[in-house]
């Protein structure tokens, strides 16, 4: 019972808590869900304020039986659907294999994207050549959708002699300019602002390219999140601002980033940015929403914020044990399911995929990853000491090596 | 053709020339656009080049620097302004973790060719948040270049060189020197730049190379290593003590011109380091250490440091804090007596 104004109230500090802890079951009713096909699709020139309803509901296309429903069902070719499926499967197979390699001490560290494969894959396929993504460490599906050679990626993970980043970066913090994949930083949220700046640059030059910024639910608490929204809104930057709400930031539930009784998409509307909240495990919804936002940006109509509602099915990283802070079977209860299982059902229903083909493709991808790993290991691993030269450590700090670094290099070598 | 310019006019001229020469140069920051900057450094530039080249920004240092990193990654050459050096702290993450490391961590795939201008320094009753000299917080960051001019000629030439440089440059502008040289004698009338030889600035394009110090005053008795406002304070101290000090204006604080320093100290055998910033872990410590390493057998006296005190910059006690010519002169005498 609420106390009357004239009564003395003892203040209490509210500390959010997830409903499910180890040994319990999570109550997912806190998610603002909606049925597939029920949410409206506005024109791309919609006023940001008129997307308020879209920021607190959930755009979904695929129902539980694999049917594509409603106004967001994208017109998408069979070929593109198969490419999407391939990118998602490849991401998952790659992740699984790299976790094994980490356990075998062939690499020092790895981060899976289990359960989030649809978001980067479908988004990347909806963008165009030349658009630049500013990813976090969990959008490897973009690299898979853009067919970056796995050998190159594994060399980075191994910090070996063929590592494109010359052994300077932690595993997973890729940089692949040719694939529109900006250099990943360990510092959270910084790239969200940089994406806006890149988009502003494209606008300054009268270009037609757009930027795509990425951030997780936890990192929205960083100041750079708000900064990015403000600048994107002020300058009407051609950028898609993606918030991947996988419910968890390491051990902290999304309520600690300010997700309790609200949505992350709602933050966009508050900043004057058109905002959508989308089922992140629904490949078709991700593709459709991404395409909508990209077209809006490319038409000079301004930024879009999209909250992708998904679930971090795996551990945060190879250094993390989720069973210490959440139920072990949480993913099995998550209402939006597994993105690969869902698109598979749809493709089979369309008659362009089969259980047999699925199994075959998966086996083939496993063989490809193993072959790529073997090739990459030929160029060395951190464990066997075949790493980039120590001298290369001093390069690229500046464009030209200044005298003090030349001197330090000499000292190292003497 | 050379014209007499203040430092403000010289900086504006540098930006004007670079906006003209390179379509990828863009300028923005708080109050930088329509209004022309709270110090008038960008006056008229928006009217001349348009709002897509010179524009106002939200009050967000992290946003200003962070968007500039994104623009540089695209291929532009942003020149952004932080209104006071005292307010760069919210942009620390973008400066240290991003701009400075972009080239290194991407093995050259992405670079941050950008200049961050910041008015710095005290001597203007600016109090705690309008007087700081944070250069040591930048010189400690690998990947950054830190530059500070002391006069209109160098200001223009160094700023053009900074904008053209492909590394991120922190460009610190001593606001006490914006309108005229200042030797620390706050009780005397302010002298305008027009009376000083270094206010003669070519109207067109020229550069003052980075990593090159200038021997501001040659001398035989001792070497003063300094930059910014303290160049003029040191000159006054030399004049008033009668000690023939060789004053080196570093201009580029880091990476620096070690050769000019070492040659001078080996010649004079004595060294005084002077800066406005607080002492402990200030850039003077690095300078003293370098001199000690490279000139040990030529030194006739301990290396002296004259700096701001290890306190926040006070308001009422301005002139007890600011290292004026008396304090600098006393250090000269100690160095000569040792």
């Amino acid at each position: 019972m609420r106390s009357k104004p004239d009564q003395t109230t003892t203040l209490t500090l509210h500390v959010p808590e997830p409903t499910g802890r180890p040994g319990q079951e999570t109550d997912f009713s806190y998610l603002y869900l909606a049925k597939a096909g029920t949410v409206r699709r506005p024109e791309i020139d919609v006023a940001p304020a008129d997307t308020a309803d879209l920021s607190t509901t959930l755009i979904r296309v695929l129902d539980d039986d694999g049917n594509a429903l409603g106004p967001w069902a994208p017109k998408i070719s069979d070929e593109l659907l198969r490419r999407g499926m391939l990118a998602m499967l490849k991401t998952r197979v790659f992740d699984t294999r790299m976790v094994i390699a980490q356990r075998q001490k062939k690499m020092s560290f790895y981060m899976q994207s289990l359960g989030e494969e649809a978001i980067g894959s479908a988004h990347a396929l909806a963008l165009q050549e030349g658009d630049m993504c500013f990813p976090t460490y969990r959008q490897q599906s973009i690299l898979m959708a853009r067919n970056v050679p796995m050998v190159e990626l594994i060399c980075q993970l191994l910090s070996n002699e063929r590592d494109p980043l010359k052994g300077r970066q932690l595993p997973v913090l890729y940089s692949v300019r040719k694939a529109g994949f900006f250099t990943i930083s360990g510092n959270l949220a910084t790239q969200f602002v940089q994406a806006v700046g890149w988009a502003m640059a494209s606008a300054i030059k009268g270009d037609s390219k757009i930027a795509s910024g990425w951030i997780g639910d936890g990192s929205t608490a960083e100041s750079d999140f708000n900064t990015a929204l403000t600048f994107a809104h002020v300058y009407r930057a051609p950028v898609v601002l993606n918030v991947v709400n996988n419910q968890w930031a390491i051990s902290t539930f999304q309520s600690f980033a300010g997700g309790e009784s609200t949505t992350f998409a709602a933050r966009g509307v508050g900043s004057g940015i058109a905002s959508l909240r989308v089922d992140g495990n629904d490949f078709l919804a991700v593709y459709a929403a991404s395409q909508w936002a990209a077209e809006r940006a490319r038409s000079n109509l301004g930024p879009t914020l999209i909250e992708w509602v998904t679930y971090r099915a795996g551990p945060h990283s190879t250094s993390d044990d989720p069973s210490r802070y959440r139920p072990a079977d949480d993913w099995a209860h998550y209402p939006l399911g597994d993105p690969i299982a869902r698109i598979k059902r749809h493709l089979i229903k369309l008659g362009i995929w089969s259980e047999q083909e699925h199994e075959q493709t998966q086996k083939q991808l496993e063989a490809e990853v193993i072959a790529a790993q073997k090739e990459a290991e030929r160029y060395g691993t951190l464990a066997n000491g075949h790493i980039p030269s120590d001298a290369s450590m001093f390069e690229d700090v500046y464009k030209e090596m200044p005298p003090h670094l030349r001197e330090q290099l000499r000292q190292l070598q003497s | 053709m050379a014209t007499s310019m203040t430092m403000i006019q010289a900086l504006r001229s540098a930006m004007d020339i670079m906006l003209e020469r390179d379509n990828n140069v863009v300028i923005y920051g708080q109050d930088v656009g329509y209004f022309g900057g709270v110090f008038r450094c960008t006056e008229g530039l928006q009217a001349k080049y348009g709002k897509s080249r010179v524009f106002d920004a939200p009050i967000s240092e992290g946003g200003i620097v962070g968007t500039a990193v994104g623009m540089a990654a695209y291929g532009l050459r942003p020149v952004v302004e932080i209104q006071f050096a005292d307010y760069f702290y919210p942009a620390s993450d973008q400066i240290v973790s991003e701009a400075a490391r972009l080239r290194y961590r991407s093995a050259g795939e992405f670079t941050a060719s950008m200049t961050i201008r910041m008015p710095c320094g005290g001597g203007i009753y600016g109090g705690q948040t309008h007087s700081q000299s944070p250069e040591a917080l930048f010189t400690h960051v690998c990947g950054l270049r830190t530059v500070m001019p002391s006069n209109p000629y160098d200001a223009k030439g160094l700023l053009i060189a900074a904008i053209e440089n492909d590394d991120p440059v922190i460009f610190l502008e001593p606001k006490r020197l914006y309108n005229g040289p200042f030797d620390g004698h706050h009780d005397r009338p302010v002298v305008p730049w027009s009376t000083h030889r270094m206010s003669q600035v070519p109207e067109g394009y020229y550069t003052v190379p980075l990593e090159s110090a200038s021997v501001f005053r040659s001398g035989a008795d001792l070497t003063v290593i300094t930059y910014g406002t303290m160049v003029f304070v040191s000159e006054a101290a030399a004049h008033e003590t009668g000690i023939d000090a060789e004053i080196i204006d570093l201009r580029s604080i880091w990476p620096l011109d070690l050769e000019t320093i070492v040659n001078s100290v080996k010649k004079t055998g004595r060294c005084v380091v002077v800066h406005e910033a607080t002492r402990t872990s200030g850039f003077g410590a690095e300078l003293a250490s370098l001199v000690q390493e490279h000139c040990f057998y030529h030194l006739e006296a301990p290396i002296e440091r004259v700096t701001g005190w290890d306190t926040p910059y006070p308001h009422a006690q301005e002139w007890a804090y600011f290292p004026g010519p008396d304090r600098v002169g006393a250090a000269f005498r100690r160095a000569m007596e040792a």
Side-chain angles (χ1 to χ4, degrees):
Chain A
M1 222 177 91
R2 297 181 82 173
S3 53
K4 290 175 189 164
D6 55 327
Q7 287 177 323
T8 310
T9 306
T10 305
L11 298 172
T12 55
L13 180 71
H14 174 68
V15 180
E17 185 66 22
T19 54
R21 285 297 192 186
Q24 301 169 329
E25 194 174 312
T26 300
D27 175 5
F28 284 106
S29 66
Y30 72 88
L31 293 168
Y32 295 69
L33 301 179
K35 282 205 166 104
T38 59
V39 176
R40 72 188 177 95
R41 182 184 186 279
E43 295 300 314
I44 56 166
D45 62 355
V46 65
D50 294 337
T51 62
D53 61 318
L54 303 173
S55 74
T56 51
T57 182
L58 195 68
I59 294 166
R60 307 178 69 187
V61 172
L62 283 170
D63 71 6
D64 293 343
D65 300 322
N67 301 302
L69 305 175
W72 285 95
K75 290 182 184 66
I76 183 167
S77 70
D78 292 352
E79 194 241 329
L80 201 60
L81 280 170
R82 290 169 60 96
R83 270 176 66 194
M85 171 58 108
L86 208 62
M88 290 166 71
L89 272 177
K90 198 167 164 184
T91 306
R92 186 168 295 183
V93 167
F94 185 83
D95 277 355
T96 309
R97 189 71 206 175
M98 293 307 111
V99 169
I100 294 168
Q102 193 279 335
R103 293 291 180 239
Q104 294 169 335
K105 296 186 165 46
K106 286 176 174 169
M107 60 186 68
S108 64
F109 180 75
Y110 193 72
M111 303 180 97
Q112 297 181 72
S113 61
L114 184 64
E116 301 175 34
E117 297 92 343
I119 303 168
S121 303
H123 188 83
L125 293 174
L127 293 180
Q128 291 179 8
E129 179 93 26
D131 295 341
M132 183 65 73
C133 291
F134 288 73
T136 75
Y137 45 67
R138 226 185 290 280
Q139 274 78 52
Q140 51 263 57
S141 51
I142 293 173
L143 296 167
M144 297 304 172
R146 289 187 164 176
N147 293 317
V148 176
M150 287 190 285
V151 176
E152 194 180 315
L153 299 176
I154 300 171
C155 285
Q156 194 282 328
L157 296 169
L158 296 171
S159 287
N160 67 17
E161 286 166 349
R162 292 273 181 104
D163 173 3
L165 307 183
K166 304 182 184 176
R168 294 176 190 153
Q169 270 282 41
L170 267 181
V172 184
L173 304 188
Y174 309 109
S175 177
V176 193
R177 188 180 179 117
K178 62 176 189 272
F181 196 89
F182 185 71
T183 161
I184 301 175
S185 171
N187 290 64
L188 300 176
T190 49
Q191 75 287 341
F192 217 50
V193 185
Q194 293 159 2
V196 176
W198 197 95
M200 288 168 69
S202 184
I204 287 168
K205 298 303 275 185
D207 202 344
S208 60
K209 300 184 187 92
I210 65 166
S212 174
W214 294 82
I215 201 166
D217 48 288
S219 301
T220 62
E222 293 281 5
S223 59
D224 278 348
F225 173 70
N226 280 303
T227 303
L229 266 54
T230 301
F231 278 67
H233 166 68
V234 167
Y235 298 108
R236 218 173 285 171
V239 62
V240 185
L241 296 166
N242 302 279
V243 180
V244 180
N245 180 1
N246 67 17
Q247 318 305 320
W248 292 94
I250 308 186
S251 76
T252 50
F253 186 59
Q254 57 106 31
S255 53
F256 275 91
E260 198 167 76
S261 310
T262 184
T263 69
F264 294 100
R267 307 279 187 89
V269 178
S271 301
I273 295 174
S275 301
L276 309 174
R277 193 165 174 273
V278 181
D279 179 348
N281 291 6
D282 177 342
F283 180 89
L284 295 181
V286 176
Y287 184 85
S290 298
Q291 206 178 33
W292 186 91
E295 204 186 328
R296 182 176 161 85
R298 228 181 290 281
S299 309
N300 217 22
L301 294 165
T304 302
L305 184 142
I306 308 176
E307 175 183 349
W308 306 107
V309 181
T310 182
Y311 185 84
R312 195 196 77 208
H316 165 70
S317 72
T318 50
S319 309
D320 175 51
D321 174 9
S323 72
R324 297 174 67 95
Y325 51 81
R326 71 181 189 189
D329 60 348
D330 223 23
W331 193 29
H333 297 284
Y334 181 68
L336 302 178
D338 174 346
I340 293 181
R342 287 176 64 192
I343 192 68
K344 179 180 157 198
R345 215 172 293 142
H346 179 65
L347 298 196
I348 289 173
K349 199 149 205 171
L350 287 180
I352 59 168
W353 198 252
S354 65
E355 288 288 355
Q356 197 191 3
E357 193 172 1
H358 192 87
E359 209 170 300
Q360 268 176 1
T361 308
Q362 193 156 327
K363 278 200 178 119
Q364 192 188 323
L365 286 168
E366 276 162 11
E368 275 178 40
V369 178
I370 288 168
Q373 189 185 342
K374 273 197 182 134
E375 188 187 339
E377 284 177 17
R378 283 218 313 270
Y379 310 128
T381 67
L382 188 59
N384 70 18
H386 288 285
I387 58 170
S389 78
D390 291 346
S392 71
M393 170 166 68
F394 296 92
E395 294 161 7
D396 297 327
V397 180
Y398 298 88
K399 187 179 185 188
E400 313 288 346
M401 197 183 294
H404 71 281
L405 287 181
R406 288 203 300 270
E407 170 59 18
Q408 288 170 28
L409 171 58
R410 192 196 60 75
Q411 287 173 14
L412 176 80
Q413 290 176 332
S414 65
Chain B
M1 210 182 86
T3 315
S4 177
M5 294 189 197
T6 65
M7 192 184 278
I8 291 167
Q9 290 164 333
L11 292 164
R12 187 193 305 145
S13 173
M15 288 185 269
D16 190 355
I17 281 166
M18 290 313 293
L19 281 162
E20 180 80 49
R21 283 174 71 99
D22 185 346
N23 279 332
N24 288 325
V25 170
V26 291
I27 291 175
Y28 62 102
Q30 291 158 34
D31 304 297
V32 156
Y34 182 85
F35 181 56
V38 294
F39 294 109
R40 317 313 301 152
C41 290
T42 54
E43 191 172 24
L45 296 179
Q46 185 180 76
K48 189 168 174 185
Y49 295 97
K51 287 202 285 187
S52 66
R53 302 284 306 282
V54 181
F55 50 91
D56 288 310
I59 305 175
S60 170
E61 291 77 11
I64 290 168
V65 176
T67 51
V69 172
M71 286 185 200
Y74 176 94
L76 298 191
R77 204 169 274 277
V79 181
V80 296
E81 180 184 303
I82 302 292
Q83 202 157 73
F84 286 87
D86 314 64
Y87 301 132
F88 93 82
Y89 305 105
S92 303
D93 195 23
Q94 289 288 351
I95 294 173
V96 178
S97 313
E98 302 293 322
R101 304 219 197 115
L102 212 57
R103 180 187 296 278
Y104 191 73
R105 77 166 194 243
S106 70
E109 274 203 330
F110 297 94
T111 57
S113 306
M114 56 192 277
T115 305
I116 309 176
R117 294 179 41 240
M118 302 181 198
C120 70
I124 54 145
Y125 280 102
Q128 295 186 26
T129 55
H130 298 81
S131 307
Q132 295 169 41
S133 297
E135 64 270 15
L137 296 173
F138 301 116
T139 55
H140 190 57
V141 179
C142 15
L144 294 182
R145 292 180 178 276
T146 303
V147 173
M148 193 193 294
S150 69
N151 57 76
Y153 180 89
D154 285 352
K156 179 170 171 180
L158 284 169
L159 183 54
I160 291 176
I163 296 171
E164 287 186 328
N165 195 279
D166 290 328
D167 299 320
V169 180
I170 305 294
F171 197 86
L172 294 160
E173 303 166 1
K175 58 184 135 5
R176 177 69 232 206
L177 301 180
Y178 268 164
N179 290 302
F182 178 67
D183 63 8
H185 285 293
H186 53 93
D187 44 348
R188 297 180 193 167
V190 176
V191 189
W193 273 116
S194 56
T195 62
H196 198 276
R197 68 185 161 92
M198 297 198 89
S199 75
Q200 288 301 308
V201 176
E203 281 179 7
Y205 170 93
Y206 70 95
T207 60
V208 171
L210 304 186
E211 291 180 55
S212 75
S214 81
V215 179
F216 185 82
R217 179 193 192 278
S218 49
D221 291 347
L222 59 80
T223 299
V224 184
I225 312 174
T226 189
Y227 44 85
T229 309
M230 290 301 131
V231 169
F232 296 99
V233 175
S234 301
E235 188 187 35
H239 179 71
E240 287 156 26
T241 57
I243 292 169
D244 189 18
E246 178 147 297
I247 301 170
I248 295 175
D249 178 357
L250 281 184
R251 303 197 291 200
S252 283
I253 302 179
W254 192 260
L256 51 60
D257 174 0
L258 186 61
E259 200 184 336
T260 299
I261 295 172
V262 171
N263 288 344
S264 177
V265 177
K266 282 187 175 171
K267 180 180 79 177
T268 62
R270 290 178 163 81
C271 179
V272 179
V273 173
V274 187
H275 61 56
E276 283 184 69
T278 53
R279 178 166 309 174
T280 304
S281 301
F283 191 65
E286 187 62 40
L287 289 170
S289 181
L290 285 170
V291 169
Q292 190 274 143
E293 280 170 39
H294 292 271
C295 311
F296 183 75
Y297 294 107
H298 293 79
L299 284 172
E300 315 253 359
I303 302 161
E304 287 274 348
R305 277 189 285 167
V306 190
T307 68
W309 308 119
D310 281 341
T311 71
Y313 207 117
H315 183 244
Q317 300 88 350
E318 175 89 271
W319 303 115
Y321 180 91
F322 183 92
D326 288 352
R327 263 170 66 198
V328 175
F332 287 4
R333 287 198 194 90
R334 285 196 300 274
M336 293 311 295
E337 284 159 12

